[in-house]
Amino acid sequence: MLLSIVIPVHNAASYLRRCLDSVIHQTYAHIEVIIIDDFSTDDSFRIIQEYEQKDSRVRSFQNSRNYRVGYTRNKGLNAASGEYVWFIDADDWVPLEAISDLVGCLKKSSEKVDLLVFGHTEHYGRDNNELSKRMRLPQNLDIGESALANFLNLTKGFFTYPFLYLYSRELLLKHDILFPENVYYEDILFVAKAVHYAKNIKAFPKSLYYYNCEKHDSITQMYSKEKIVNMISVYDKLYEFLEHHNLIEKYNDQFLMRFILHGLGTCFQIYQYLNEEDKKDDELRQLLQSYLVSDILSARNIVHILGLIETIDDKDRVAKQYHRLKLDVLYHSKSNWVHS
């Protein structure tokens, strides 16, 4: 079984070798490694070429300008020929037995697996000489339980991160599932579509991905007006997708909770870190204020969302605590921001 590993790269020279070494030294060797350099200005492409020269399974591409990660992942997907595709980010890495474990799980299934979701370990660097990390594992779906509902609720391990899933390439091609391009938060819609269209989903309760959570971006890169606008736009598109498939009524509570907490909640968090000039942008302020005074953030909805949070199983306590924190941020934003 050939697996395609797609790795988008942009100015990742300081940690790229760790990622590539973890992939090419896998105990399962029948893979192709597609690396796309998104117009890096550091030594990333030189490092990529070095690995391509020493390993025939590695193929490299280079964008003519910085197209961002959505375009770059799509380019890798178009070049892939494996039965399954795994997207890995250049600043992360994987345990050496990861692909062997994934293939073993696929082969145990009596029918073709469309989507395989697995666990990950978040790494936060060292705190007082101790490695700070947190493991998060998916849980098996109950009979009749909706994976899409879990994705919208961010429970049972169905997170937004695209690197926590192994995708059947046939699934992606059949339903024309691609990453939105030239925007931030491109992964939300991509993963939602994959989860929706997948008929056979398996959850593998083992950590097979090391997610680098250390901050290596500047404040200006992390927080921008564009990210706020993109966040709201991608949730508009997610709503349209659910509506098109006659799912919005069925999943209205889940969508509302996700949009309020992780859409608007994130927008107001980003706004707090904007420079003073951007904060005075009338168009941006009007956009955000329109939600603060709308029925979406009515007291009734806030209470309703709190009730939904409390129904989350205590086995998903990490998601439950995260939801509570987001609601608290948004509640205080509604109380204070609109009067500022």
Side-chain angles (χ1 to χ4, degrees):
M1 183 185 297
L2 177 66
L3 266 67
S4 298
I5 312 298
V6 175
I7 306 174
V9 177
H10 179 68
N11 290 343
S14 60
Y15 33 73
L16 183 56
R17 291 183 186 278
R18 177 180 63 183
C19 174
L20 298 184
D21 284 340
S22 76
V23 171
I24 67 171
H25 293 135
Q26 286 288 305
T27 55
Y28 185 89
H30 195 41
I31 62 176
E32 63 174 4
V33 185
I34 301 169
I35 313 171
I36 311 94
D37 179 71
D38 191 24
F39 203 66
S40 295
T41 56
D42 62 4
D43 283 339
S44 291
F45 192 61
R46 182 186 62 78
I47 295 171
I48 293 169
Q49 289 178 308
E50 173 190 322
Y51 278 79
E52 185 176 31
Q53 290 171 4
K54 68 182 181 182
D55 194 322
S56 61
R57 299 172 301 171
V58 175
R59 287 191 290 151
S60 73
F61 300 87
Q62 188 176 36
N63 292 340
S64 59
R65 64 177 178 85
N66 179 225
Y67 283 98
R68 295 190 183 172
V69 70
Y71 173 94
T72 305
R73 287 195 185 119
N74 288 339
K75 188 172 182 175
L77 177 59
N78 289 333
S81 57
E83 189 172 346
Y84 288 87
V85 180
W86 190 6
F87 299 98
I88 294 177
D89 284 353
D91 53 339
D92 302 330
W93 68 105
V94 295
L96 297 182
E97 74 285 355
I99 297 179
S100 179
D101 284 344
L102 291 172
V103 171
C105 184
L106 293 172
K107 289 183 175 180
K108 287 179 182 178
S109 177
S110 59
E111 55 183 322
K112 181 177 174 60
V113 176
D114 293 319
L115 195 66
L116 180 57
V117 55
F118 44 88
H120 68 290
T121 302
E122 299 172 347
H123 281 256
Y124 293 89
R126 294 192 175 274
D127 183 14
N128 297 325
N129 296 320
E130 292 292 329
L131 188 65
S132 177
K133 59 185 180 181
R134 179 175 65 175
M135 185 181 296
R136 307 179 74 174
L137 301 178
Q139 302 168 36
N140 290 325
L141 289 171
D142 298 326
I143 296 176
E145 186 177 9
S146 169
L148 184 58
N150 280 312
F151 170 77
L152 293 172
N153 281 333
L154 297 177
T155 54
K156 296 293 180 72
F158 284 80
F159 302 116
T160 299
Y161 310 129
F163 45 72
L164 299 183
Y165 302 84
L166 190 66
Y167 308 86
S168 159
R169 191 165 67 92
E170 180 183 0
L171 169 76
L172 300 180
L173 295 176
K174 178 179 179 181
H175 298 286
D176 195 27
I177 302 173
L178 294 170
F179 290 92
E181 299 181 0
N182 300 314
V183 295
Y184 295 104
Y185 311 112
E186 73 295 324
D187 43 6
I188 296 175
L189 196 58
F190 179 89
V191 176
K193 289 182 177 181
V195 170
H196 168 68
Y197 285 118
K199 300 303 181 185
N200 185 20
I201 299 176
K202 295 292 184 183
F204 191 46
K206 183 176 180 179
S207 175
L208 297 179
Y209 194 92
Y210 296 133
Y211 179 29
N212 178 16
C213 296
E214 293 184 73
K215 302 299 183 186
H216 45 252
D217 288 327
S218 70
I219 291 295
T220 53
Q221 288 175 314
M222 291 168 61
Y223 306 108
S224 67
K225 293 189 298 182
E226 186 179 9
K227 286 192 173 184
I228 293 175
V229 174
N230 284 173
M231 176 64 81
I232 291 175
S233 174
V234 77
Y235 273 97
D236 285 343
K237 289 181 171 59
L238 179 57
Y239 183 92
E240 291 169 3
F241 175 75
L242 295 173
E243 189 176 45
H244 177 73
H245 291 279
N246 299 314
L247 294 170
I248 194 61
E249 184 174 348
K250 181 178 181 180
Y251 296 121
N252 183 67
D253 279 352
Q254 290 88 351
F255 175 82
L256 184 65
M257 183 164 75
R258 182 171 178 131
F259 175 58
I260 287 177
L261 300 182
H262 304 285
L264 292 179
T266 299
C267 286
F268 283 101
Q269 283 183 320
I270 293 173
Y271 183 87
Q272 293 174 8
Y273 291 97
L274 296 181
N275 60 51
E276 292 304 314
E277 182 179 350
D278 286 341
K279 284 183 177 180
K280 294 177 182 178
D281 184 287
D282 287 339
E283 188 174 348
L284 180 64
R285 287 185 62 85
Q286 288 173 14
L287 174 64
L288 292 175
Q289 185 141 347
S290 69
Y291 286 101
L292 286 174
V293 300
S294 72
D295 289 340
I296 290 178
L297 290 180
S298 66
R300 179 180 179 181
N301 272 354
I302 294 294
V303 172
H304 181 57
I305 294 301
L306 181 60
L308 292 175
I309 292 172
E310 294 308 309
T311 65
I312 296 175
D313 195 301
D314 284 338
K315 293 179 182 178
D316 295 310
R317 60 183 179 276
V318 172
K320 200 168 188 175
Q321 292 169 357
Y322 188 57
H323 284 12
R324 286 170 177 162
L325 176 63
K326 284 282 190 176
L327 185 63
D328 188 59
V329 168
L330 197 54
Y331 177 79
H332 284 93
S333 294
K334 182 173 176 61
S335 300
N336 302 323
W337 190 89
V338 72
H339 302 297
S340 64

